[in-house]
Structure formats: C-alpha cells, structure tokens
Amino acid sequence: MEGNAFSAFAITALRLAGHLTAAGDQLAKPAGQTSARWQVLAAARRGDMSVAQIARALGLARQGVQRLADVLEGEGLIAYADNPQHQRAKLVRLTADGAGRLGVIEVAQAGWADGLGAAFTATELDTARAVMARVMEMLEAEEASRG
C-alpha cells in the first residue's frame, strides 16, 4: 500500500519538477538566462564554492555545471578565483553584471512565489518540504552506500 502511495508521490514530484523548470526558464528569460544558469548564478553568489561543490549542492553532474560556468564566465557573469583549499578547483564568484542579472530574476521569482504561495498555508508547504527533504536524504544515503 505505501509503495503505491510513494510511487504516486514520486510521479507527482517528477511532474512538478518539470513544471518548476519551465516556470524558472520563463522567470529567467528576461535576464537572458535559463533555470540551470540561474541556479549556477545563485550558487556563485556565495563565492566559496567550486564547480564540483555547486554540482553536488544542486544534484547535477559536475561536467554540466562546468559547461554552464564556462559560458557564464565568457559572458562576464561569473569569475573564477583561486581556491586556498585546492589549487586546481577554482572558486566560482558572481560578478557585478551577474549580480544584476540575478537580481532581475529574483524580483520576478518573489512575485511569482508570493502568488502561488498564497494558495497554501505555511504549514502545508513546510510539511510538503519536510517530506521531500526526508526522501532526498534517504536517496542520498542509499547512493552513498552504493559508493
């Protein structure tokens, strides 16, 4: 019984992910970006992460994030900086131009999130997020055990 419920949950989560990516692409489009590029720009704002660390944080392949980062660097939206912890793994930093583009996206995203969020209580959203976080933790632990 729980297996069927979990399968329905997983299918719904996958469908939601597709809709969120499409919405993110629309939100990022006026700034000349995509959802994937937006995620890398947001991670670059921290300034203390390498491409590999960003990829792990986003649950993406390192090679894909490297390609995005290289394009963003070519456009002057991020810059690579020396990493005191690792000579070859440069840190990814947001440039002023990148911060400007990210700001445009985040203003649009805030209005979009406020509109959708108004249809739910904070408790409903917190509960849904907690369930998803627990599932991710379980899947990550399973992946790590397979090594």
Side-chain angles (χ1 to χ4, degrees):
M1 185 87 157
E2 285 80 7
N4 289 340
F6 184 81
S7 293
F9 167 83
I11 290 167
T12 302
L14 290 169
R15 290 184 61 211
L16 175 60
H19 287 292
L20 290 173
T21 298
D25 285 343
Q26 286 303 117
L27 291 166
K29 191 175 184 175
Q33 303 304 307
T34 63
S35 286
R37 291 166 60 117
W38 171 13
Q39 290 178 63
V40 175
L41 288 172
R45 177 175 35 212
R46 284 189 47 176
D48 64 349
M49 296 173 75
S50 67
V51 165
Q53 290 169 321
I54 291 171
R56 274 193 300 279
L58 298 176
L60 300 172
R62 188 202 59 78
Q63 296 86 347
V65 173
Q66 185 67 64
R67 281 192 294 275
L68 287 171
D70 289 345
V71 169
L72 292 168
E73 184 205 24
E75 294 175 3
L77 302 178
I78 66 160
Y80 293 115
D82 287 336
N83 183 346
Q85 306 299 319
H86 193 289
Q87 257 188 326
R88 288 184 29 213
K90 301 286 187 194
L91 298 177
V92 179
R93 301 245 165 97
L94 194 62
T95 65
D97 284 347
R101 300 271 184 103
L102 187 56
V104 167
I105 297 167
E106 289 177 337
V107 166
Q109 189 275 339
W112 174 82
D114 286 346
L116 282 175
F120 304 93
T121 67
T123 301
E124 286 175 311
L125 294 171
D126 287 344
T127 300
R129 184 201 45 76
V131 169
M132 290 190 297
R134 225 168 103 206
V135 170
M136 284 189 296
E137 287 171 10
M138 293 170 72
L139 292 174
E140 288 166 356
E142 189 177 292
E143 288 171 16
S145 71
R146 280 186 266 139

